[in-house]
Amino acid sequence: MTSFLPARRHIRTPTNSKTPHLDALKDAAPRPFWFDNQTAPEPCSALTADTTTDLVIIGGGYTGLWAALQAKENDPSLDVVLIEADTCGSAASGRNGGFCASSLTHGILNGIDRFENEMPELEKQGLANLDEIEAAVKHYGIDCDFQRSGELDVATEPWQLDELARSAMLAESLGHDVELLDAAETRAQVNSPTYLGSLFMPRSVAMLDPARLAWGLREACLELGVRIYEWTKALELDEARNGIEVRTPYGKVHAARGILATNGFPPLLKRLKNYIVPVYDYVLVTEPLTQAQLDSIGWQARQGVGDSANQFHYYRLTEDNRILWGGYDAIYYYGGPVRSELTLRPDTYAVLADHFFETFPQLAGVKFTHRWGGVIDTCSRFCPFVGTAMGGRLGYALGFTGLGVGATRFAAGALLDQLYGRYTDRSRLHLMNSKPLPLPPEPFRWIGIQLTRWSLNRADANSGRRNLWLRTLDRCGLGFDS
């Protein structure tokens, strides 16, 4: 859950190692908390021989796993092969914040800007999709700490209150349960001196353990007969007689149909390279809070929280009462590299820690145990798109922009509908039959992103007022409003 290169909150950034926030980082391990919190399943073997299948899925994150699961639910006789370069859930699906939202458009305001006429149907289907995720978790016995606890969107500056009121009105008209809370009511939910008010949507977001969800989906796929090959990188993707062919290091997969589900990694289909960019998001996790520390912040409903600045933070309690604190800096590196060393960024961790203690000064002395980051696949409309290639035999779903925990299931289902010629309520949506505007090549891409970042920074400093550049992006359909 993150915005796309948004603006900075104007909070002091510390400048020396004696400040408390830096001391809190000294023992933070540079790896995702979720992978340390439980034992990962034993990997499946790599593919070491040529094989033939009905459907091949490239990528073992949420998109690929939901696609495999739904394909077998739709037709148990279908032979499905899933290949993953690492292990299932090892990338974005296993290390995100665990916010499973009903929104398919990265928020109602972003959806209104782009799909206004379709929003009643989109919100209806999004809520139904979240219901279906909850039902699947129960049906397959997936132990992922799934809690339908909702989300609290908080205002930390006066100008954000009007935006929350607008969001509340729109959300209620679109079928959501909403509560608009004043400062005292908000602080009674989660106690921070920075809160001026909030919008609470109790049924629209679930909180969960993302790694355990990915591993649970993997196990469900195996139980249904999906053939999963881990440590199997797809090297080439080509059209072949009566289907497609995927080359891996030790064997080829020939399939009648295929799905490309590789998120922010460089796509094997060249036409997609101008539609997505890899953006890096960063996260901290604290040590478990004591009962006294929990009492000082309240948070009894355990809902997710996000603030309302252009550059927002997202945070939540884990099952063992740590606080996961992420967002704010969403970084695009020139040329769009995807490299492991870019998943660690000390400057961002220092700023995140500073913001944490300003939000919760009563937690002074709490230490962080984990710090990490990773790639988000971002597109110019900030919400997913699906499509087909190779004569309709290959499908793809990309562009989730950090809100894919829930939307991946919906997009995977719509993509399967398209691949197999099923005309359904979800496959007929304009959202699922349109693409974002392509992004410009470098250096214009990098220049545009940096200019946008600077402009959003100025907007946050000027009561949300958007300058000429941002207003131009809005008119061109490239603005962001989650």
Side-chain angles (χ1 to χ4, degrees), residues 237-240 243-245 256 268-269 271 388-394:
L237 176 62
D238 296 301
E239 290 189 74
I244 64 171
E245 188 172 84
L268 290 170
L269 195 63
R271 71 175 67 175
T388 60
M390 298 185 178
R393 293 188 292 271
L394 176 72

Side-chain angles (χ1 to χ4, degrees), residues 257 388 392 414-424 427:
R257 293 177 177 86
T388 60
L415 185 53
L416 287 167
D417 290 342
Q418 290 188 11
L419 277 178
Y420 288 95
R422 295 188 292 262
Y423 188 71
T424 65
S427 69

Side-chain angles (χ1 to χ4, degrees), residues 86-325:
D86 198 291
T87 57
C88 291
S90 61
S93 295
R95 53 131 179 95
N96 63 80
F99 286 66
C100 186
S102 66
S103 177
L104 306 173
T105 59
H106 210 299
I108 288 174
L109 297 182
N110 191 58
I112 289 288
D113 288 344
R114 289 165 169 79
F115 308 100
E116 183 173 7
N117 294 334
E118 200 168 61
M119 281 300 287
E121 184 65 19
L122 285 170
E123 292 303 300
K124 176 184 175 182
Q125 291 200 38
L127 285 166
N129 180 63
L130 185 54
D131 290 341
E132 289 158 4
I133 291 172
E134 184 172 12
V137 166
K138 292 178 180 177
H139 176 73
Y140 290 106
I142 299 174
D143 178 17
C144 63
D145 191 32
F146 187 99
Q147 298 186 53
R148 195 79 174 261
S149 51
E151 183 172 5
L152 194 70
D153 293 324
V154 299
T156 57
E157 298 288 345
W159 63 269
Q160 297 164 9
L161 293 170
D162 288 340
E163 194 84 342
L164 287 182
R166 178 188 171 215
S167 295
M169 179 184 66
L170 288 169
E172 189 171 30
S173 72
L174 293 169
H176 292 270
D177 295 335
V178 301
E179 298 177 36
L180 202 57
L181 308 178
D182 63 20
E185 291 168 329
T186 301
R187 294 173 190 177
Q189 292 287 320
V190 182
N191 184 21
S192 169
T194 66
Y195 296 167
L196 304 179
S198 65
L199 168 61
F200 181 43
M201 298 174 65
R203 294 289 298 166
S204 302
V205 178
M207 308 307 301
L208 51 79
D209 181 319
R212 280 155 56 189
L213 174 62
W215 297 338
L217 291 173
R218 173 186 180 274
E219 180 61 27
C221 287
L222 290 170
E223 289 175 357
L224 293 184
V226 176
R227 292 191 282 149
I228 296 178
Y229 298 97
E230 294 176 300
W231 307 117
T232 301
K233 184 176 181 178
L235 302 175
E236 288 184 4
L237 176 62
D238 296 301
E239 290 189 74
R241 185 177 180 182
N242 299 322
I244 64 171
E245 188 172 84
V246 183
R247 184 172 68 85
T248 76
Y250 302 121
K252 294 179 181 179
V253 182
H254 186 281
R257 293 177 177 86
I259 288 177
L260 188 61
T262 51
N263 192 44
F265 290 96
L268 290 170
L269 195 63
K270 290 182 179 179
R271 71 175 67 175
L272 299 177
K273 291 182 179 179
N274 291 327
Y275 286 100
I276 61 168
V277 293
V279 174
Y280 287 78
D281 182 49
Y282 299 93
V283 184
L284 298 174
V285 165
T286 71
E287 62 191 347
L289 301 185
T290 66
Q291 189 58 54
Q293 290 167 335
L294 284 170
D295 291 342
S296 75
I297 58 173
W299 215 340
Q300 294 183 6
R302 306 185 73 84
Q303 64 271 68
V305 183
D307 58 49
S308 303
N310 285 305
Q311 185 160 0
F312 61 83
H313 306 82
Y314 57 87
Y315 40 112
R316 48 81 56 95
L317 289 171
T318 65
E319 190 173 18
D320 60 349
N321 293 324
R322 303 166 187 261
I323 296 178
L324 178 146
W325 178 266

Side-chain angles (χ1 to χ4, degrees), residues 398-442:
L398 296 166
F400 295 95
T401 317
L403 209 66
V405 180
T408 45
R409 180 191 179 277
F410 187 89
L415 185 53
L416 287 167
D417 290 342
Q418 290 188 11
L419 277 178
Y420 288 95
R422 295 188 292 262
Y423 188 71
T424 65
D425 287 344
R426 64 187 172 192
S427 69
R428 65 175 172 78
L429 291 166
H430 179 60
L431 173 69
M432 296 287 103
N433 288 278
S434 59
K435 290 186 177 63
L437 292 173
L439 296 155
E442 300 289 18

